[in-house]
Amino acid sequence: MKWLSLTLALAGPSQAALRFGCSTLTIQRLDPLVEPGKVPSAHLHQIVGGNAFNASMDPAAGDLGDKGTCTTCTFSEDFSNYWTAVMFFKHPNGTYKRVPIMQNTALPNGINGGMTIYYTQQDFSSNGNQKITAFKPGFRMTVGTPTATSKYGPGLKFVCLQNKGTRFPELDDFPTKPCTGGIMTVHHFPACWDGKNLDSPDHQSHMYNTVKDAFQNSGPCPASHPIRVPQVAYETLWDTTAFNNMWPTDGSQPFTLSYGDNEGYGTHADYVFGWKGDALQKAMDSSCMFNACENGNPLKSQGVAQMNQCNVPTTVDEDIDGWLTSLPGM
C-alpha cells in the first residue's frame, strides 16, 4: 500500500511521451509469462528488449534492470522485454512462410525488424493533470488471449498499410485484401494498476483497461485500480508485400498468427518491466516528447548498430525461416 499512498500524495502535471524502436532480440518458441520454464513453448514469438530474457524469468531472480547487459531498444536504460506472436503466410499448397518484419518509418534507418514501443500518458500531448507512476521492478502483464474467437477488447488492431506511415483505418481482424505496404499489428495495454500486485495469475487482473481504440484519451481509473501508469503500446510492421501475388484464387485471407489464428481475434502481447533505476519515472515526470527524450534529456540512448548487436542464445533449434509444412509447435 505504500506505493498507492505515495502516488496519491505526489500528484502533479507533466506532458511526456516516449516513442522508440527496438530491434529484434530473438524469434523463437519461448514464453516466460504464460509458460515459464517450458522449452519450447507452444508457439513462436518475436521478442525485443534486454538480453536478460530467458525461458523462465522468475521475478524472484532479480530486477531485469540490473541483470541486463545490453538492449535492442533505443533507450539504453530499458532492459524490459516486449513480445508478440509471429505472422505467417499460408500458401494455397498448404505450406507456411514466416512474414519478414520491417521498421517503422518514424524510426532511424537500419533497425533489424523489431517493434515501435510507446509509453504515453493520457494521450500524445497530456497526462490529464495526474501523476503518471512508472512500473515497479518485477512488474509484468499481458493483453489479449490466443483463444479469442471474436473481438477481445479495444486497442488490439490490424492496419492495412498503403505505406509505412498509414495509421487508419484500424481493423479488429486481418485485412481481407492484399495491402500494398504490408500489415501493422497494434497492441495497447491497460493503463490502470491496482497499486498492490506486480502480477496476477492471469497476468491481467491486476490491471484495468480504460483504453479506447487508437491513441485516444483513456477514461478515468476506477477505485479498484486507481494508479495511472504509462500507456504501453506496440506497433509491429509485417512486410507482406512479397505474398501479394500468391493470394488464394478464392480470395480468402491467407495470413495467420503463429498459434494458428487466421482471423486475428486472438492477437496478444506480453510485457515485463526492466527499466534501470528510476529512468522511466524521470521520463514520465519530464516534458520531453519522442526523440527529444534521447541523449540524456532525460534518457540515455544508443545508436542502431548497438541495438542490432544485442541478442540472446537460440534455445529452441528448429527451422522457422523456410517454407514449412506446419507452424512451429502446431
Side-chain angles (χ1 to χ4, degrees), residues 225-249:
H225 296 72
I227 306 301
R228 175 71 75 184
V229 292
Q231 173 69 66
V232 176
Y234 307 168
E235 291 177 345
T236 310
L237 277 64
W238 305 91
D239 188 0
T240 59
T241 57
F243 308 104
N244 283 353
N245 62 353
M246 301 183 198
W247 273 57
T249 54

Short mmCIF file of all heavy atoms in Angstrom, two decimals, residues 225-249:
data_model
loop_
_atom_site.label_atom_id
_atom_site.label_comp_id
_atom_site.label_asym_id
_atom_site.label_seq_id
_atom_site.Cartn_x
_atom_site.Cartn_y
_atom_site.Cartn_z
N HIS A 225 -8.56 0.03 -9.24
CA HIS A 225 -7.26 0.11 -9.92
C HIS A 225 -6.93 1.60 -10.11
O HIS A 225 -6.97 2.12 -11.23
CB HIS A 225 -7.31 -0.60 -11.28
CG HIS A 225 -7.55 -2.07 -11.20
ND1 HIS A 225 -8.77 -2.62 -10.86
CD2 HIS A 225 -6.71 -3.12 -11.40
CE1 HIS A 225 -8.68 -3.93 -10.87
NE2 HIS A 225 -7.44 -4.27 -11.20
N PRO A 226 -6.59 2.29 -9.02
CA PRO A 226 -6.54 3.76 -9.06
C PRO A 226 -5.27 4.37 -9.61
O PRO A 226 -5.22 5.59 -9.82
CB PRO A 226 -6.71 4.13 -7.59
CG PRO A 226 -6.06 2.99 -6.85
CD PRO A 226 -6.38 1.76 -7.67
N ILE A 227 -4.24 3.57 -9.84
CA ILE A 227 -2.93 4.13 -10.20
C ILE A 227 -2.78 4.20 -11.71
O ILE A 227 -2.80 3.18 -12.40
CB ILE A 227 -1.79 3.30 -9.60
CG1 ILE A 227 -1.96 3.13 -8.09
CG2 ILE A 227 -0.44 3.94 -9.93
CD1 ILE A 227 -2.01 4.42 -7.33
N ARG A 228 -2.62 5.41 -12.23
CA ARG A 228 -2.39 5.59 -13.65
C ARG A 228 -0.92 5.35 -13.96
O ARG A 228 -0.03 6.02 -13.43
CB ARG A 228 -2.78 7.00 -14.10
CG ARG A 228 -2.46 7.32 -15.55
CD ARG A 228 -3.34 6.58 -16.53
NE ARG A 228 -4.68 7.15 -16.57
CZ ARG A 228 -5.69 6.65 -17.29
NH1 ARG A 228 -5.50 5.56 -18.00
NH2 ARG A 228 -6.87 7.23 -17.27
N VAL A 229 -0.67 4.34 -14.78
CA VAL A 229 0.69 4.00 -15.21
C VAL A 229 0.82 4.38 -16.69
O VAL A 229 -0.17 4.72 -17.35
CB VAL A 229 0.98 2.51 -15.00
CG1 VAL A 229 1.04 2.18 -13.52
CG2 VAL A 229 -0.06 1.63 -15.70
N PRO A 230 2.02 4.35 -17.24
CA PRO A 230 2.16 4.70 -18.66
C PRO A 230 1.31 3.80 -19.55
O PRO A 230 1.15 2.60 -19.27
CB PRO A 230 3.65 4.50 -18.92
CG PRO A 230 4.30 4.64 -17.59
CD PRO A 230 3.33 4.08 -16.61
N GLN A 231 0.79 4.38 -20.60
CA GLN A 231 0.05 3.63 -21.61
C GLN A 231 1.05 2.99 -22.57
O GLN A 231 1.65 3.65 -23.40
CB GLN A 231 -0.88 4.56 -22.38
CG GLN A 231 -1.59 3.91 -23.55
CD GLN A 231 -2.59 2.89 -23.10
OE1 GLN A 231 -3.59 3.24 -22.49
NE2 GLN A 231 -2.34 1.63 -23.39
N VAL A 232 1.29 1.69 -22.39
CA VAL A 232 2.25 0.97 -23.23
C VAL A 232 1.54 0.47 -24.48
O VAL A 232 0.41 -0.04 -24.43
CB VAL A 232 2.86 -0.21 -22.46
CG1 VAL A 232 3.78 -1.04 -23.37
CG2 VAL A 232 3.63 0.28 -21.24
N ALA A 233 2.19 0.64 -25.63
CA ALA A 233 1.64 0.13 -26.88
C ALA A 233 2.78 -0.35 -27.77
O ALA A 233 3.90 0.18 -27.70
CB ALA A 233 0.82 1.21 -27.60
N TYR A 234 2.48 -1.37 -28.59
CA TYR A 234 3.45 -1.89 -29.56
C TYR A 234 2.87 -1.72 -30.96
O TYR A 234 1.68 -1.97 -31.18
CB TYR A 234 3.70 -3.40 -29.40
CG TYR A 234 4.08 -3.95 -28.05
CD1 TYR A 234 4.05 -5.33 -27.84
CD2 TYR A 234 4.47 -3.14 -26.99
CE1 TYR A 234 4.40 -5.89 -26.63
CE2 TYR A 234 4.82 -3.69 -25.77
CZ TYR A 234 4.78 -5.07 -25.59
OH TYR A 234 5.12 -5.62 -24.38
N GLU A 235 3.71 -1.36 -31.90
CA GLU A 235 3.38 -1.44 -33.32
C GLU A 235 4.41 -2.34 -34.00
O GLU A 235 5.62 -2.13 -33.85
CB GLU A 235 3.41 -0.06 -33.98
CG GLU A 235 2.30 0.88 -33.53
CD GLU A 235 2.40 2.26 -34.16
OE1 GLU A 235 3.47 2.59 -34.73
OE2 GLU A 235 1.42 3.01 -34.08
N THR A 236 3.94 -3.33 -34.74
CA THR A 236 4.83 -4.23 -35.48
C THR A 236 4.41 -4.19 -36.94
O THR A 236 3.23 -4.39 -37.27
CB THR A 236 4.75 -5.67 -34.96
OG1 THR A 236 4.90 -5.68 -33.53
CG2 THR A 236 5.84 -6.52 -35.58
N LEU A 237 5.36 -3.91 -37.82
CA LEU A 237 5.09 -3.80 -39.25
C LEU A 237 5.58 -5.06 -39.95
O LEU A 237 6.77 -5.38 -39.93
CB LEU A 237 5.77 -2.56 -39.85
CG LEU A 237 5.03 -1.22 -39.69
CD1 LEU A 237 4.90 -0.83 -38.21
CD2 LEU A 237 5.75 -0.13 -40.47
N TRP A 238 4.64 -5.75 -40.61
CA TRP A 238 4.93 -7.02 -41.28
C TRP A 238 4.96 -6.77 -42.79
O TRP A 238 4.00 -6.26 -43.36
CB TRP A 238 3.86 -8.05 -40.93
CG TRP A 238 3.69 -8.24 -39.45
CD1 TRP A 238 2.84 -7.58 -38.61
CD2 TRP A 238 4.44 -9.15 -38.63
NE1 TRP A 238 3.00 -8.02 -37.32
CE2 TRP A 238 3.96 -8.97 -37.29
CE3 TRP A 238 5.43 -10.09 -38.88
CZ2 TRP A 238 4.46 -9.72 -36.22
CZ3 TRP A 238 5.93 -10.83 -37.81
CH2 TRP A 238 5.45 -10.64 -36.50
N ASP A 239 6.07 -7.15 -43.43
CA ASP A 239 6.23 -6.92 -44.86
C ASP A 239 5.58 -8.06 -45.64
O ASP A 239 6.23 -9.03 -46.05
CB ASP A 239 7.72 -6.80 -45.20
CG ASP A 239 7.93 -6.35 -46.63
OD1 ASP A 239 6.93 -6.13 -47.35
OD2 ASP A 239 9.11 -6.22 -47.04
N THR A 240 4.29 -7.92 -45.87
CA THR A 240 3.51 -8.95 -46.56
C THR A 240 3.55 -8.79 -48.07
O THR A 240 2.94 -9.58 -48.80
CB THR A 240 2.04 -8.90 -46.10
OG1 THR A 240 1.51 -7.59 -46.37
CG2 THR A 240 1.92 -9.18 -44.60
N THR A 241 4.24 -7.78 -48.57
CA THR A 241 4.15 -7.43 -49.99
C THR A 241 4.64 -8.54 -50.91
O THR A 241 4.15 -8.67 -52.02
CB THR A 241 4.92 -6.13 -50.28
OG1 THR A 241 6.30 -6.29 -49.87
CG2 THR A 241 4.32 -4.97 -49.50
N ALA A 242 5.61 -9.35 -50.47
CA ALA A 242 6.13 -10.42 -51.32
C ALA A 242 5.09 -11.49 -51.59
O ALA A 242 5.26 -12.31 -52.52
CB ALA A 242 7.37 -11.04 -50.68
N PHE A 243 4.01 -11.50 -50.80
CA PHE A 243 3.00 -12.54 -50.93
C PHE A 243 1.73 -12.03 -51.63
O PHE A 243 0.77 -12.80 -51.78
CB PHE A 243 2.63 -13.07 -49.54
CG PHE A 243 3.81 -13.51 -48.72
CD1 PHE A 243 4.29 -12.71 -47.69
CD2 PHE A 243 4.47 -14.70 -49.00
CE1 PHE A 243 5.39 -13.11 -46.93
CE2 PHE A 243 5.57 -15.10 -48.26
CZ PHE A 243 6.03 -14.31 -47.23
N ASN A 244 1.73 -10.77 -52.05
CA ASN A 244 0.51 -10.20 -52.61
C ASN A 244 0.07 -10.88 -53.91
O ASN A 244 -1.12 -10.85 -54.25
CB ASN A 244 0.68 -8.70 -52.85
CG ASN A 244 0.57 -7.90 -51.56
OD1 ASN A 244 0.25 -8.43 -50.51
ND2 ASN A 244 0.85 -6.60 -51.64
N ASN A 245 1.03 -11.51 -54.63
CA ASN A 245 0.65 -12.20 -55.87
C ASN A 245 0.42 -13.69 -55.65
O ASN A 245 0.31 -14.45 -56.62
CB ASN A 245 1.71 -11.98 -56.96
CG ASN A 245 3.06 -12.55 -56.57
OD1 ASN A 245 3.26 -13.00 -55.44
ND2 ASN A 245 4.01 -12.52 -57.51
N MET A 246 0.36 -14.10 -54.38
CA MET A 246 0.15 -15.52 -54.06
C MET A 246 -1.18 -15.77 -53.36
O MET A 246 -1.42 -16.86 -52.87
CB MET A 246 1.28 -16.03 -53.16
CG MET A 246 2.67 -15.92 -53.71
SD MET A 246 3.89 -16.64 -52.55
CE MET A 246 5.40 -15.91 -53.14
N TRP A 247 -2.04 -14.76 -53.30
CA TRP A 247 -3.31 -14.93 -52.59
C TRP A 247 -4.12 -16.07 -53.22
O TRP A 247 -4.08 -16.26 -54.46
CB TRP A 247 -4.12 -13.63 -52.62
CG TRP A 247 -3.77 -12.70 -51.50
CD1 TRP A 247 -2.54 -12.20 -51.21
CD2 TRP A 247 -4.66 -12.17 -50.52
NE1 TRP A 247 -2.60 -11.38 -50.10
CE2 TRP A 247 -3.90 -11.34 -49.66
CE3 TRP A 247 -6.03 -12.29 -50.28
CZ2 TRP A 247 -4.45 -10.65 -48.58
CZ3 TRP A 247 -6.59 -11.61 -49.21
CH2 TRP A 247 -5.81 -10.80 -48.37
N PRO A 248 -4.85 -16.80 -52.41
CA PRO A 248 -5.69 -17.87 -52.95
C PRO A 248 -6.68 -17.34 -53.99
O PRO A 248 -7.17 -16.22 -53.88
CB PRO A 248 -6.43 -18.40 -51.71
CG PRO A 248 -5.55 -18.03 -50.56
CD PRO A 248 -4.91 -16.72 -50.94
N THR A 249 -6.96 -18.16 -54.99
CA THR A 249 -7.86 -17.72 -56.06
C THR A 249 -9.28 -17.51 -55.56
O THR A 249 -10.06 -16.76 -56.19
CB THR A 249 -7.87 -18.75 -57.19
OG1 THR A 249 -8.20 -20.04 -56.65
CG2 THR A 249 -6.50 -18.82 -57.87
#
